[in-house]
């Protein structure tokens, strides 16, 4: 495992002047890199001549009661992991670099921002869309890589790219899981040992629902609901079966169903999802 | 007056494939070109290797009671005038090209969108910011040219460019006026002869206020108010003296004052402004 040195770009100007062979691949992250992020960097490395990873815990996408201040940060480790996975540079700005005094513009992806995660996390997706519009303009990548684990985020960002005519292609990569099925997440470090163990019910519930073979939204949702009810350490916040192509209700034209949930394990809020083929 | 032919780009794809020597200058318009627009095209022509003019009556920036359907349109004349002024191509899309089914993203420049014109025209500036974010991404110009006549629009777009890190430079060009001082506007064609004559009070009131030599916001506003009160065909909607650098109230650090107004002349709503140096 050879880390060596990787250029750390702190300012927008440094990014603009950084030599970028094309095509350029971009992996936006909030740091605390895990195998999920690494899989995105590797994919970018396979497809692009230059790979830039951003590490920025974006204050705009955290609500007032959320974990912005205690969100895990470990820049040294992030640098080593990004380098090892094949990144050419890391963009690691301070908040004041992206949001100087007077900053006031907001990108909203209406309707999509108001369902699923948007219900519990008011303003979250405006923060996501705004920072990504900025990062796309700053970095100017041909391709951007995001994970299917944050399915609604990927959907919403894809919609924003299309609506605002960014010329970047969005590549959504499969969720990476621990050996026991738990979806990789920077927030998994919050889990106490017994919570970590209990949390495996989340993915098992989703897989069980998928494996029923049913494509009835109620059956899928109830299967998850019932499976989670058996684990007292895990409190389901929501589970919904939506049309994966619209995030709206499943209808006669639905080809693929997004079965997604949020649950609290102790104080930690986790999300996960599976795709269920309908036809 | 030799018009010849000018390439008319109807689709986003045609714009992307249109050969653009750099630097590229861009003049966004809603068509019905007048000398104000022409001055922007000429300025772009002086500074850029390629000049693209867009002609698009943007439905997003019209309120429900406003003049979207009757807004003056004359594509043939626009093509001839743009060509004559030095444009290399015109981007003239249908609404469905920019807003296909499912379009839902909105760019907001908060606070700035809520003052002056934003009070009377709810949603107007979200429409402006959204379409310009799109046009900047589609056209990708080094410089974009807008008129000082729409002072708040130029200010808001400048803020959006800065906040979202577009790499385009915004060039704000002076208001062009008729021989008698009336600010050029596509909406001037709505005016009946006696209204057209009465409308000259608008710029005269602004010049009178500026020429008082006062930099007291109340004196400036009252001078305009009193001047317009003498003209029964012109109904003042608002007049405000703001800090031109913030659009906030004039304060001890204000260097330049934006004295701006909206007024109705018959059924036609007109805006105008002057800048007043403070120091």
């Amino acid at each position: 495992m050879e880390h060596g040195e990787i250029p750390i770009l702190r300012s927008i100007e440094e990014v603009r002047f950084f030599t970028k062979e094309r095509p350029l691949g971009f992996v936006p992250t909030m740091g605390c890199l895990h195998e999920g992020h690494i899989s995105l960097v590797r994919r970018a490395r396979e497809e692009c001549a230059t790979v830039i990873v951003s590490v920025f815990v974006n204050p705009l996408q955290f609500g007032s009661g959320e974990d912005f201040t205690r969100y895990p940060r470990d820049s040294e480790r992030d640098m080593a992991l990004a380098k090892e996975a094949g990144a050419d540079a890391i963009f690691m700005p301070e908040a004041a670099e992206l949001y100087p005094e007077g900053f006031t513009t907001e990108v909203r992806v209406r309707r999509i921002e108001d369902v699923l995660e948007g219900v519990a996390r008011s303003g979250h997706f405006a923060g996501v869309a705004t920072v990504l519009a900025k990062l796309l303009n700053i970095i100017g990548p041909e391709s951007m890589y995001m994970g299917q684990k944050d399915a609604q985020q990927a959907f919403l960002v894809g919609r924003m790219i299309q609506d605002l005519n960014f010329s970047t292609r969005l590549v959504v990569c499969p969720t990476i899981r621990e050996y026991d099925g738990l979806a990789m997440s920077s927030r998994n470090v919050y889990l106490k040992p017994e919570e970590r163990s209990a949390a495996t019910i989340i993915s098992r519930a989703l897989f069980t629902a998928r494996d029923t073979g049913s494509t009835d939204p109620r059956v899928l949702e109830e299967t998850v609901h019932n499976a989670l009810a058996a684990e007292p350490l895990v409190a389901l916040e929501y589970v919904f079966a939506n049309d994966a192509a619209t995030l709206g209700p499943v209808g006669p034209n639905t080809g693929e169903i997004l079965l997604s949930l949020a649950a609290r394990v102790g104080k930690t809020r986790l999300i996960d999802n599976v795709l269920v083929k309908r036809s």
Side-chain angles (χ1 to χ4, degrees), chain A:
Chain A
M1 211 164 88
E2 166 60 34
H3 302 154
E5 287 292 309
I6 182 167
I8 309 299
L9 313 172
R10 303 273 179 191
S11 70
I12 292 163
E13 200 167 332
E14 282 176 279
V15 177
R16 297 216 193 271
F17 282 96
F18 183 74
T19 305
K20 299 179 269 282
E21 272 187 82
R22 301 285 167 176
L24 171 62
F26 170 49
V27 180
T29 83
M30 299 211 301
C32 194
L33 302 186
H34 52 62
E35 281 298 319
H37 301 110
I38 297 306
S39 73
L40 304 178
V41 179
R42 290 207 182 105
R43 173 79 176 269
R45 178 76 284 159
E46 284 166 21
E47 299 182 353
C48 301
T50 308
V51 176
I52 296 182
V53 173
S54 68
V55 170
F56 180 62
V57 185
N58 175 30
L60 241 55
Q61 71 190 70
F62 287 80
S64 56
E66 293 184 6
D67 58 348
F68 173 65
T69 49
R70 69 185 190 106
Y71 193 86
R73 290 160 170 91
D74 189 345
S75 321
E76 290 300 321
R77 189 170 160 277
D78 289 340
M79 292 175 198
L81 288 173
K83 165 84 177 168
E84 191 197 354
D88 296 299
I90 302 185
F91 180 41
M92 204 180 265
E94 294 293 322
E97 179 72 7
L98 292 189
Y99 307 122
E101 209 191 312
F103 179 90
T104 188
T105 300
E106 190 172 75
V107 180
R108 308 280 298 267
V109 185
R110 294 171 66 174
R111 292 189 294 281
I112 298 166
E113 69 183 0
D114 295 328
V115 300
L116 301 170
E117 285 297 283
V119 176
R121 306 190 67 190
S122 172
H124 169 67
F125 285 119
V128 170
T130 303
V131 78
L132 284 172
K134 287 172 65 70
L135 290 169
L136 286 174
N137 278 339
I138 292 166
I139 292 169
E142 274 72 25
S143 300
M144 175 162 74
Y145 300 81
M146 301 183 84
Q148 172 63 21
K149 192 264 207 164
D150 295 289
Q152 186 181 6
Q153 171 176 276
F155 184 88
L156 177 135
V157 170
R159 185 78 242 178
M160 180 195 74
I161 286 175
Q162 190 180 333
D163 282 355
L164 295 187
N165 307 101
F166 283 99
S167 51
T168 300
R169 175 182 71 121
L170 178 65
V171 183
V172 182
C173 301
T175 302
I176 304 295
R177 299 180 179 280
E178 303 282 356
Y179 68 97
D180 57 5
L182 181 68
M184 296 268 183
S185 165
S186 304
R187 291 189 170 97
N188 290 349
V189 302
Y190 295 149
L191 298 170
K192 294 172 189 163
E194 69 274 22
E195 293 171 344
R196 170 65 187 81
S197 176
T200 59
I201 190 69
I202 292 172
S203 55
R204 278 189 285 124
L206 290 168
F207 298 153
T208 301
R210 187 183 58 193
D211 295 345
T212 59
S214 173
T215 58
D216 179 331
R218 292 210 184 161
V219 171
L220 293 168
E221 290 168 4
E222 275 173 25
T223 305
V224 170
H225 197 278
N226 294 339
L228 288 184
E231 175 49 78
L233 289 182
V234 178
L236 183 64
E237 190 179 290
Y238 69 78
V239 57
F240 286 116
N242 295 99
D243 186 318
T246 64
L247 296 196
V250 173
N253 298 321
T254 300
E256 202 167 30
I257 294 171
L258 175 71
L259 182 63
S260 67
L261 67 78
R264 285 198 183 269
V265 187
K267 290 180 175 172
T268 304
R269 189 174 180 281
L270 300 177
I271 60 172
D272 198 356
N273 68 82
V274 291
L275 289 168
V276 182
K277 288 257 184 279
R278 187 127 179 284
S279 43

